């Protein structure tokens, strides 16, 4: 236990009881005739169960002249306070001349349970001014209100008053003090009060244990349970239900299992709230199977039990089972709560199941939960992940009380759907409304900026992170590392990585992957070796990043070794992406037969990733036979993807098989498939300029094409030879002109024209850089003395002095 807490055996001398000489208002004993008790109105009040019934009885009391009788006044005030009608209670209370002390205590209880802390304290002060001595229960009500309101200042004032009133020795009220300090997040003070109690009963122990548990100190709470045993108290239902959620939050599975054993031995597992807490604990500790065994064995369940089990499946990445359980819950007649809806929308989002998502949306309307902002936020996220950003936007626009979570959901939705500018516009609008971004906002918007690859905006968002004091957040810093790398600033990314005091697996993954995409395979593998020596262990994504780095740099044997190590040393089963990375590694290195043999021997049925990597390798190395095999498998697996058809057509074109090229184009036309047009982006003075192959829509188009014509002459003189092999049916001079209209050439020409000599040109392209543009850009960097950084769909190319960082291996 932390040294800041007093030893649990510490017991100061017993406090003195209240002095008998204390002056307070004397209670008057009023003689009430027996016939008053037996009056019909008295009997009706005794059996009154609602405010509606009470309003029907009051006229009877008045009609029979009983309104001024203290018995009826006391009963009426008590019932009105219980039903929350404090104004009516005050109307009866205030005119009474000689008030019994009990009436004051009843009124204070009513204010404490049905009003604000301010109102309760106003009445408490009135009570003291009327010379009414407080009783223990007055303080417990007020302390609870202070705890619920997180009002530490006034909680301390009430604590002081109860001491001066002589109640420091009372276990009941001191449990209230401990509870108040715990809820106000000053658990150290709560423990001091606990340690000073002259004796402690089960309620006292439960209060302090619950306090530590609610403050996220599960280990201390468990140590207190041990101390509780040592003092001869055995944990009861309250103890168990208090400590299990804390165990779940910090994932102390072994401690949870020990508590489970105690629950079974003590027969507590028959209580639904205990079994529900166990289900929740096992789910949060990753033992969903054990949770399901407990869930299935329960004789009765509440909606909270169902919610816990459904959430367990969602959090363990098993949305299918979550959906099955949700339907079973509905079949058994349980009505979903807002928590259920949010959990199942998460499952729909993970599955990308739009139809189920729409069904749940209708359920939201039926249950009248469409005014619940949290539920609507979950709907926005679900539609975003199901690629219906239009519906998500409409829900967001119609949302009356948007929270920070609402904005975060919308910004992330735009970013996930490639609507980068809308994500950034929403981010700016959010700030204009004086809504301060948090770490989640930044983790959503930074990747959107990374997609634009604009260094200036990267620096702007980094500055905002620092101003918002979010630069200590590991997830925000990881996003910044990834963003700088994607903006071409790989050295800045590494500096940030080195500055981070806390690094998670995703941080290491981001830096390793960044080195890989920049063609710095050696640095990627060195960083991976460093990671293996530390306490942060690689996961399946780490190995995917490492294999990709090996592939981009041609490290075939290293890639083989790491692929083998993945399962052998870390027990990680390769996924389809890992198999695809291995095929890419072998294929890029020209080992096409080996790659094809690897595919045939895979223990699982090869998927799109695998055959896509094979087709890409066949395009690079001009292998028609294997390219055809890979392409036709892809046509079966994903018939609506035009990119595979284009790759096959390019393979045929390189081999001058023009009839085959025509066949593929005819096939595409028949299926209604189109080639994705090449698009390159370049930023200039905070404005992004887009260029499409052959387009003339840019205001400077004429100037760009004229400059490009001159530039091509200069690079030809330096040794550039246009690669026209992929173009046919036109004359050679036309072929060259077509090559010169490629989007990256237009973007580079624009960048050079509009910047000062020596300025680095940053270009972002949506497709793979073609061989001719790669060759041309090397020569452009040579004759202009410019560094040109091109980020294509797979990697970065840093062109400088006639060379590329990829070493012509991409």
């Amino acid at each position: 236990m932390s040294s800041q807490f007093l030893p649990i055996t510490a017991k100061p001398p017993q406090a003195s009881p209240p002095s008998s000489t204390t002056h307070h208002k004397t209670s008057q004993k009023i003689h009430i005739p027996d016939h008053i008790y037996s009056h019909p109105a008295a009997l009706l009040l005794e059996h009154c169960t609602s405010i509606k019934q009470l309003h029907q009885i009051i006229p009877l009391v008045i009609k029979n002249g009983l309104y001024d009788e203290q018995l009826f006044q006391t009963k009426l005030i008590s019932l009105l306070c219980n039903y929350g009608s404090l104004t009516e209670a005050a109307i009866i209370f205030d005119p009474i001349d000689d008030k019994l002390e009990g009436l004051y205590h009843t009124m204070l209880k009513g204010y404490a349970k049905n009003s604000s802390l301010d109102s309760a304290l106003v009445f408490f002060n009135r009570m003291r001014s009327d010379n009414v001595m407080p009783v223990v229960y007055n303080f417990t009500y007020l302390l609870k209100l202070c705890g619920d309101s997180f009002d530490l200042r006034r909680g301390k004032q009430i604590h002081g008053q109860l001491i001066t009133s002589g109640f420091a020795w009372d276990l009941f009220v001191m449990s209230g003090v401990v509870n108040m300090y715990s809820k106000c997040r000053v658990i150290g003070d709560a423990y001091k009060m606990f340690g000073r109690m002259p004796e402690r009963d089960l309620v006292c122990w439960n209060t302090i244990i619950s306090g530590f548990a609610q403050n996220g100190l599960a280990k201390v709470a468990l140590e207190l349970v041990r101390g509780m045993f040592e003092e001869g108290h055995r944990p009861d239902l309250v103890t168990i239900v208090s400590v299990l959620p804390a165990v779940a939050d910090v994932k102390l599975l072994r401690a949870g299992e020990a508590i489970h054993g105690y629950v079974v031995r003590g027969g507590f597992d028959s209580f639904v709230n205990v079994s529900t807490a166990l289900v929740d604990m096992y789910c949060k500790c990753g033992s969903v199977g054990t949770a399901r065994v407990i869930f299935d064995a329960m004789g009765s369940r509440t909606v909270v039990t169902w919610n816990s089990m459904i959430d367990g499946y969602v959090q363990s990445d098993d949305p299918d089972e979550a959906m099955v359980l949700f339907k079973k819950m509905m079949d058994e007649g349980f009505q979903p709560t807002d928590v259920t809806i949010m959990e199942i929308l998460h499952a729909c989002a993970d599955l990308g199941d739009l139809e189920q998502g729409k069904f749940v949306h209708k359920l939201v309307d039926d249950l009248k939960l469409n005014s619940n902002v949290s539920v609507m936020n979950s709907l926005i996220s679900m539609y975003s992940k199901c690629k219906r950003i239009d519906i998500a936007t409409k829900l967001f626009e119609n949302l009356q009380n948007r929270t920070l979570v609402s904005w975060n959901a919308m910004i992330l939705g735009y970013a996930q759907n490639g609507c980068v500018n809308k994500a950034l516009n929403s981010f700016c609008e959010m700030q204009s409304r004086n809504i301060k971004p948090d770490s989640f906002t930044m983790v959503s918007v930074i990747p959107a900026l990374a997609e634009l690859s604009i260094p200036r905006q990267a620096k702007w968002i980094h500055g905002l992170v620092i101003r918002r004091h979010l630069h200590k957040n590991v997830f925000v810093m990881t996003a910044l590392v990834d963003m700088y790398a994607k903006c071409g600033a790989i050295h800045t990314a590494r500096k940030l990585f080195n500055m981070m005091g806390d690094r998670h697996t995703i941080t290491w993954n981001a830096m390793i992957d960044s080195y890989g995409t920049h063609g710095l395979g050696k640095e990627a593998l060195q960083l991976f070796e460093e990671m293996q020596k530390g306490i942060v262990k690689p996961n399946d994504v780490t190995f995917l990043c490492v294999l990709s780095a090996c592939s981009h740099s041609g490290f075939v044997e290293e890639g083989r070794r790491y692929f083998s190590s993945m399962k052998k040393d870390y027990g990680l089963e390769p996924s389809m992406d890992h198999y695809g990375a291995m095929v890419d590694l072998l294929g890029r290195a020209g080992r096409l037969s080996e790659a094809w043999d690897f595919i045939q021997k895979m223990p699982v049925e090869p998927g799109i990733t695998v055959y896509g990597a094979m087709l890409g390798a066949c395009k690079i190395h001009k292998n028609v036979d294997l390219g055809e095999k890979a392409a036709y498998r892809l046509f079966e697996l994903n018939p609506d993807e035009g990119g595979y058809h284009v790759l096959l057509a390019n393979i045929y074109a390189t081999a001058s098989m023009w009839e085959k090229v025509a066949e593929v184009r005819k096939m595409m036309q028949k299926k209604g498939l189109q080639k994705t047009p090449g698009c390159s982006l370049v930023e200039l003075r905070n404005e992004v300029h887009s260029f499409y192959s052959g387009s003339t829509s840019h205001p400077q188009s004429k100037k760009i094409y004229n400059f490009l014509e001159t530039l091509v002459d200069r690079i030809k003189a330096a040794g550039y030879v246009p690669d026209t092999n992929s173009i046919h049916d036109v004359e050679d001079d036309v072929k060259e002109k077509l090559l010169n209209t490629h989007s990256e050439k237009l973007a580079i020409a624009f960048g050079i024209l509009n910047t000062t000599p020596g300025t680095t040109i940053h270009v972002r392209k949506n497709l793979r850089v073609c061989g001719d543009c790669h060759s041309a850009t090397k020569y452009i960097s040579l004759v202009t003395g410019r560094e040109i950084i091109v980020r294509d769909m797979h990697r970065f190319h840093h062109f400088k002095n006639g060379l590329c960082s990829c070493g012509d291996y991409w």
Side-chain angles (χ1 to χ4, degrees):
M1 188 180 296
S2 173
S3 59
Q4 69 173 304
F5 302 117
L6 295 173
I8 58 174
T9 54
K11 294 184 182 179
Q14 185 167 336
S16 301
S19 171
S20 59
T21 59
T22 304
H23 296 287
H24 58 88
K25 183 174 175 130
T26 305
S27 295
Q28 293 181 344
K29 297 208 177 215
I30 306 298
H31 174 69
I32 301 174
D34 290 340
H35 74 275
I36 295 293
Y37 285 106
S38 59
H39 194 282
L43 296 175
L44 287 171
L45 286 173
E46 199 64 39
H47 295 92
C48 180
T49 59
S50 69
I51 188 69
K52 184 178 179 181
Q53 288 182 7
L54 184 58
H55 285 153
Q56 292 171 343
I57 296 168
I58 289 174
L60 183 64
V61 172
I62 297 171
K63 183 179 178 180
N64 285 275
L66 302 170
Y67 189 76
D68 293 329
E69 292 286 348
Q70 291 199 359
L71 171 68
F72 285 92
Q73 290 171 340
T74 303
K75 191 64 179 175
L76 285 172
I77 290 170
S78 176
L79 285 171
L80 287 167
C81 285
N82 284 342
Y83 297 138
S85 296
L86 297 176
T87 303
E88 292 179 272
I91 289 171
I92 298 173
F93 175 84
D94 289 336
I96 298 174
D97 292 327
D98 194 11
K99 300 179 180 72
L100 296 175
E101 287 189 3
L103 288 180
Y104 283 93
H105 303 319
T106 300
M107 283 295 292
L108 181 61
K109 179 181 177 181
Y111 278 110
K113 289 191 172 183
N114 299 291
S115 189
S116 65
L117 175 60
D118 288 329
S119 299
L121 286 176
V122 166
F123 188 82
F124 180 70
N125 291 332
R126 173 184 172 181
M127 188 174 91
R128 297 303 301 269
S129 68
D130 286 352
N131 215 23
V132 176
M133 185 65 186
V135 294
V136 167
Y137 295 103
N138 299 151
F139 291 110
T140 57
Y141 294 142
L142 295 174
L143 287 167
K144 184 178 183 304
L145 267 179
C146 290
D148 293 342
S149 305
F150 309 109
D151 196 327
L152 179 61
R153 181 180 62 84
R154 289 196 282 193
K156 285 183 175 180
Q157 290 173 354
I158 293 166
H159 182 194
Q161 288 196 42
L162 73 87
I163 292 172
T164 58
S165 297
F167 293 118
W169 56 270
D170 189 281
L171 283 182
F172 184 70
V173 76
M174 287 310 295
S175 292
V177 170
V178 170
N179 184 54
M180 182 273 295
Y181 281 121
S182 298
K183 286 188 173 180
C184 290
R185 304 295 182 192
V186 281
I187 191 65
D189 288 349
Y191 191 74
K192 285 177 185 176
M193 297 304 106
F194 175 77
R196 291 172 185 171
M197 289 182 179
E199 60 181 60
R200 294 180 278 258
D201 60 9
L202 187 58
V203 173
C204 299
W205 279 101
N206 283 341
T207 302
I208 192 65
I209 289 168
S210 175
F212 276 103
Q214 290 170 359
N215 279 272
L217 298 166
K219 290 182 179 179
V220 182
L222 289 170
E223 289 179 30
L224 283 167
V225 172
R226 192 177 298 118
M228 180 183 187
F229 270 111
E230 290 171 0
E231 277 202 10
H233 298 286
R234 292 182 63 80
D236 64 357
L237 276 175
V238 176
T239 324
I240 294 164
V241 174
S242 295
V243 82
L244 273 174
V247 169
D249 288 340
V250 292
K251 298 177 172 52
L252 294 174
L253 180 59
R254 291 184 65 183
E257 289 172 337
I259 295 170
H260 188 187
Y262 178 81
V263 164
V264 173
R265 291 191 299 275
F268 294 114
D269 51 337
S270 60
F271 293 93
V272 67
N273 57 341
V274 173
S275 291
T276 297
L278 283 169
V279 167
D280 183 65
M281 181 274 295
Y282 277 113
C283 284
K284 287 179 177 173
C285 289
S287 296
V288 182
T290 306
R292 185 59 187 264
V293 170
I294 297 169
F295 178 86
D296 289 339
M298 291 175 69
S300 63
R301 307 181 187 108
T302 64
V303 70
V304 178
T305 318
W306 288 93
N307 289 348
S308 296
M309 196 66 243
I310 290 169
D311 186 56
Y313 282 121
V314 171
Q315 298 305 324
S316 63
D317 297 324
D318 192 355
D320 287 303
E321 193 58 36
M323 291 298 300
V324 170
L325 203 63
F326 173 65
K327 290 173 183 175
K328 186 177 179 184
M329 172 187 171
M330 298 279 286
D331 291 342
E332 292 193 16
F334 286 89
Q335 180 169 297
T337 64
D338 56 343
V339 174
T340 324
I341 294 296
M342 288 188 284
E343 288 165 354
I344 210 62
L345 283 171
H346 191 161
C348 293
D350 288 346
L351 289 168
D353 193 335
L354 182 61
E355 291 308 309
Q356 285 294 336
K358 286 182 175 180
F359 167 75
V360 179
H361 189 174
K362 184 177 183 303
L363 203 56
V364 168
D365 293 335
D366 293 342
L367 295 170
K368 295 183 170 46
L369 291 172
N370 38 24
S371 60
N372 185 310
V373 178
S374 298
V375 170
M376 298 310 290
N377 292 341
S378 295
L379 273 172
I380 290 168
S381 295
M382 182 275 294
Y383 278 117
S384 297
K385 287 189 177 179
C386 290
K387 308 300 180 186
R388 288 304 304 270
I389 194 67
D390 55 327
I391 302 177
T393 301
K394 193 174 292 184
L395 289 174
F396 178 77
E397 288 173 349
N398 292 333
L399 199 57
Q400 295 297 316
N401 301 309
R402 296 173 191 163
T403 63
L404 175 60
V405 177
S406 312
W407 286 96
N408 287 347
M410 198 66 249
I411 291 167
L412 180 61
Y414 282 134
Q416 289 171 335
N417 284 271
C419 305
V420 177
N421 289 327
K422 288 185 177 180
L424 295 176
N425 289 339
S426 293
F427 178 66
C428 293
E429 184 186 348
M430 181 185 103
Q431 291 190 95
S432 72
R433 293 172 183 256
N434 207 29
I435 298 171
K436 304 300 181 186
D438 63 0
S439 57
F440 191 91
T441 322
M442 291 304 183
V443 171
S444 300
V445 80
I446 290 172
L449 278 172
E451 287 306 305
L452 288 177
S453 293
I454 301 175
R456 190 180 304 181
Q457 290 203 0
K459 291 176 182 177
W460 167 71
I461 200 75
H462 189 182
L464 185 59
V465 164
I466 293 170
R467 290 194 297 276
R468 293 293 303 154
H469 306 291
L470 296 170
H471 55 289
K472 298 295 184 184
N473 184 289
V474 65
F475 300 105
V476 173
M477 291 304 292
T478 299
L480 284 174
V481 167
D482 182 65
M483 177 193 67
Y484 272 115
K486 286 179 176 173
C487 289
I490 187 68
H491 300 299
T492 305
R494 183 58 194 261
K495 282 181 184 177
L496 283 182
F497 178 86
N498 290 342
M499 288 167 57
M500 291 175 67
D502 182 23
R503 299 179 192 135
H504 288 191
T505 307
I506 57 168
T507 316
W508 289 89
N509 293 350
M511 197 65 237
I512 292 169
D513 186 56
S514 296
Y515 274 136
T517 56
H518 280 267
L520 302 171
K522 183 179 177 182
E523 288 82 350
L525 299 190
Q526 286 174 345
L527 192 62
F528 179 57
E529 294 295 334
E530 184 184 335
M531 179 186 184
Q532 288 179 304
K533 294 173 185 175
I535 59 172
V536 179
K537 296 303 176 188
N539 60 12
D540 55 339
V541 177
T542 316
F543 279 96
L544 193 59
C545 295
V546 168
L547 291 173
S548 177
C550 290
S551 179
H552 284 305
S553 297
F555 297 159
V556 177
E557 296 310 316
E558 292 87 342
R560 286 180 183 279
R561 187 172 73 249
Y562 289 126
F563 183 77
S564 174
S565 168
M566 181 180 171
K567 187 171 183 179
K568 180 182 174 184
D569 300 327
Y570 293 94
L572 297 169
E573 197 67 39
S575 70
M576 194 63 68
D577 287 333
H578 294 96
Y579 287 114
M582 280 302 294
V583 171
D584 189 59
L585 172 72
L586 295 168
R588 283 179 188 272
R591 303 187 184 187
L592 297 178
S593 298
E594 205 174 327
W596 189 254
D597 188 53
F598 178 86
I599 293 173
Q600 305 311 305
K601 293 178 180 178
M602 279 174 56
V604 294
E605 187 67 28
I608 291 172
T609 307
V610 173
Y611 285 115
M614 188 69 208
L615 182 60
C618 291
K619 164 68 171 64
I620 295 169
H621 296 288
K622 305 176 177 63
N623 189 307
V624 176
D625 293 337
L626 291 178
E628 279 184 329
K629 290 179 181 178
Y632 280 99
R633 282 295 294 126
L634 285 165
F635 296 165
E636 293 173 8
L637 293 169
N638 192 359
D640 297 326
E641 175 53 57
Y644 304 132
H645 294 75
V646 172
L647 274 176
L648 181 60
N650 288 341
I651 292 172
Y652 286 143
T654 304
S656 298
M657 301 170 66
W658 305 115
E659 289 184 4
K660 288 284 189 179
V661 172
E663 285 180 17
V664 175
R665 288 179 178 173
K666 190 174 181 180
M667 191 189 308
M668 289 179 67
Q669 190 175 13
K670 187 177 180 181
K671 291 181 179 180
L673 303 177
Q674 291 184 344
K675 177 183 177 181
T676 303
C679 178
S680 295
L681 309 175
V682 64
E683 187 258 351
L684 181 69
R685 290 184 283 276
N686 290 329
E687 186 177 354
V688 177
H689 297 260
S690 302
F691 296 90
Y692 289 87
S693 295
S695 68
T696 57
S697 57
H698 195 276
Q700 295 186 29
S701 284
K702 188 173 181 180
K703 188 177 178 182
I704 292 167
Y705 278 104
N706 288 337
F707 174 71
L708 195 52
E709 192 173 330
T710 304
L711 189 59
V712 169
D713 288 338
R714 289 176 64 191
I715 63 176
K716 278 183 178 179
Y720 162 67
V721 178
D723 180 5
T724 59
N725 289 331
S726 61
I727 305 174
H728 70 291
D729 294 341
V730 294
E731 299 299 324
D732 288 343
D733 59 333
V734 178
K735 289 180 181 180
E736 287 190 27
K737 286 183 179 179
L738 289 174
L739 287 175
N740 293 341
T741 66
H742 281 196
S743 65
E744 54 264 61
K745 289 193 181 83
L746 298 175
I748 291 168
F750 170 79
I752 294 171
L753 274 171
N754 291 277
T755 55
T756 57
T759 304
T760 300
I761 308 297
H762 292 261
V763 176
R764 171 83 165 93
K765 183 170 183 188
N766 65 330
L767 303 174
R768 183 179 183 272
V769 171
C770 76
D772 178 74
C773 285
H774 190 271
S775 175
T777 308
K778 286 196 295 182
Y779 282 102
I780 292 171
S781 73
L782 178 65
V783 301
T784 62
R786 299 289 194 106
E787 181 179 359
I788 302 168
I789 300 174
V790 178
R791 176 188 169 192
D792 70 10
M793 67 184 298
H794 293 304
R795 62 171 299 157
F796 278 86
H797 298 267
H798 294 254
F799 299 94
K800 192 174 183 180
N801 299 325
L803 298 173
C804 180
S805 60
C806 73
D808 297 337
Y809 187 89
W810 87 99

